Amino acid sequence: MSDIKSLDDLKSAVGAAAPAPAAIVRVAVRDKLGRAYATGKRKNAVARVWIKPGSGKVVVNGKEMAVYFARPVLQMILRQPFTVAGVEGQFDVMATVKGGGLSGQAGAVKHGVSKALQLYEPGLRGALKAAGFLTRDSRVVERKKYGKAKARKSFQFSKR
């Protein structure tokens, strides 16, 4: 090995040793029925999501989206990935979700739909990632500690 005495020597030595990594080529991942599958999580809710080309029908736990998520805000949350990717009404969604409350479940389905969309069509990954839909929001409720009223709240203190 030669002696490295200057920055130029170091650059040439590093450049020769490690070639530049090739760009990652993402391929579509689909099952034999032409569906893409992903798992989405939010708070304590876990959603298993399958998407396939269709008319935009969303079924959650065997019920229509409007029946399962009655609040318009929750329905809007579910539609966000399709809006950002620009594919509204092009995919059917079948999801099963367990745990948590309705808000967490809507977030879990949204996360699962986003992951499934980028697996089905890798070209949509950039828009979904820029919107932050592929990132798992890891915030969960903090556990209650002994000697405390709640997770952090103390009991009332009186000196006398």
Side-chain angles (χ1 to χ4, degrees), residues 3 6 9 14 23 30 36 39 44 58 60-61 70 76 84 88 90 98 125 140-141 145 156:
D3 289 346
S6 70
D9 294 341
V14 169
R30 300 176 193 151
T39 305
N44 279 334
V58 179
V60 181
N61 287 354
M76 180 200 70
V84 166
E88 298 111 317
Q90 295 180 25
K98 290 183 180 180
R125 181 177 169 83
V140 292
V141 177
K145 278 72 164 194
Q156 184 173 346

Side-chain angles (χ1 to χ4, degrees), residues 69-87:
F69 294 114
R71 281 186 270 162
V73 172
L74 300 179
Q75 295 174 26
M76 180 200 70
I77 288 172
L78 256 65
R79 284 193 292 267
Q80 280 179 333
F82 298 110
T83 307
V84 166
V87 292

Side-chain angles (χ1 to χ4, degrees), residues 41-128:
K41 296 182 180 183
R42 172 82 170 95
K43 295 187 176 180
N44 279 334
V46 180
R48 299 182 304 159
V49 179
W50 291 266
I51 65 163
K52 64 180 181 181
S55 59
K57 189 172 135 190
V58 179
V59 178
V60 181
N61 287 354
K63 297 179 182 176
E64 283 291 323
M65 173 181 67
V67 176
Y68 194 83
F69 294 114
R71 281 186 270 162
V73 172
L74 300 179
Q75 295 174 26
M76 180 200 70
I77 288 172
L78 256 65
R79 284 193 292 267
Q80 280 179 333
F82 298 110
T83 307
V84 166
V87 292
E88 298 111 317
Q90 295 180 25
F91 289 96
D92 287 346
V93 177
M94 206 288 279
T96 58
V97 62
K98 290 183 180 180
L102 282 178
S103 176
Q105 288 185 351
V109 174
K110 170 184 162 183
H111 185 227
V113 164
S114 302
K115 285 170 64 176
L117 270 174
Q118 67 102 24
L119 286 173
Y120 190 89
E121 187 56 58
L124 302 176
R125 181 177 169 83
L128 293 168

